[in-house]
Amino acid sequence: MIGDAAKEYLHSDLRQAREVMLWKLDGLGEYDVRRPLTSTGTNLLGLVKHLSVWESRYFGEVFGRPFPEPLPRWDDLEERGTDLWVTEHETREEIIDRYRRVWQHSDATISSLSLDSPGRVPWWPRPRVQLFNILVHMLTETSRHAGHADILREQLDDSTGTTPRSAAPRRDAAYWEAHRARIERAARHRSA
């Protein structure tokens, strides 16, 4: 009984983190969802693409239920990193629709297996896993990238939060400038 409750709790949190990822794209133009916002090229739509590839793999291949669409191979050095950005030939709709199809595939795997169901992750040092390990891993991975998306979105338009209801109230530029200056003064004071 505790296993079912734990599985539902983890699965529910994963569903919520997935929705946050897509919400971070709302209201932004094509350029802003695709453009590199860090020195390593991190971008919002690329994070969604990355999560769709890896979630499909973890809840698919790992449990002998491969996702029915082609994916770049995890062990192909030529393809490594292509899941982190979106080409000019890929559309936002394609990336989002694939992510949603991955959710359906993953949710079917999660629903049909128990937490102790065995799987195999050939790219991990200890490849023998259980559904529990993969649920925790994907929840952690999705939450981690949702945090990246929070920061990227804030850089673009000062939008923060995980849902429209939880978004921080809009403040004017003068407020944020004064707030940032206060933090800067505290940092400089302690470093002097």
Side-chain angles (χ1 to χ4, degrees):
M1 205 144 111
I2 188 82
D4 291 340
K7 183 170 93 166
E8 182 49 38
Y9 184 86
L10 293 169
H11 194 184
S12 175
D13 281 2
L14 177 60
R15 286 186 195 108
Q16 183 180 9
R18 291 168 175 163
E19 292 290 346
V20 169
M21 287 302 303
L22 293 186
W23 181 66
K24 292 299 174 179
L25 306 175
D26 281 358
L28 293 177
E30 283 299 314
Y31 177 67
D32 283 338
V33 298
R34 294 166 175 267
R35 70 178 172 145
L37 294 166
T38 69
S39 61
T40 59
T42 305
N43 62 92
L44 288 166
L45 197 55
L47 289 172
V48 172
K49 181 180 176 182
H50 170 75
L51 285 169
S52 71
V53 168
W54 286 98
E55 182 172 323
S56 67
R57 191 159 276 135
Y58 278 112
F59 290 114
E61 291 172 39
V62 167
F63 296 101
R65 300 171 43 93
F67 187 65
E69 298 175 30
L71 298 168
R73 288 290 313 154
W74 63 270
D75 54 355
D76 183 348
L77 295 179
E78 294 292 318
E79 291 291 311
R80 197 162 284 169
T82 61
D83 62 316
L84 288 164
W85 63 282
V86 179
T87 72
E88 64 272 18
H89 305 293
E90 296 172 293
T91 69
R92 176 194 297 213
E93 291 75 23
E94 288 170 344
I95 300 300
I96 291 171
D97 289 347
R98 182 185 320 123
Y99 194 31
R100 290 189 185 280
R101 288 190 306 276
V102 165
W103 296 357
Q104 292 174 342
H105 187 261
S106 299
D107 291 349
T109 297
I110 294 164
S111 294
S112 67
L113 300 177
S114 63
L115 277 179
D116 61 354
S117 293
R120 186 170 185 285
V121 184
W123 54 91
W124 281 11
R126 291 181 290 171
R128 297 177 73 172
V129 296
Q130 296 178 336
L131 178 63
F132 172 80
N133 306 105
I134 299 306
L135 258 170
V136 170
H137 176 77
M138 278 314 303
L139 175 56
T140 302
E141 184 77 0
T142 306
S143 296
R144 178 175 176 252
H145 289 311
H148 294 140
D150 283 341
I151 293 167
L152 297 179
R153 182 66 190 252
E154 184 177 347
Q155 284 180 330
L156 290 169
D157 67 358
D158 297 326
S159 177
T160 62
T162 57
T163 65
R165 272 196 350 235
S166 71
R170 293 286 183 175
R171 309 270 173 120
D172 64 12
Y175 169 86
W176 289 115
E177 190 175 313
H179 179 71
R180 191 175 183 291
R182 182 177 180 202
I183 296 168
E184 179 68 26
R185 280 192 307 276
R188 287 190 183 280
H189 176 78
R190 290 305 296 175
S191 67

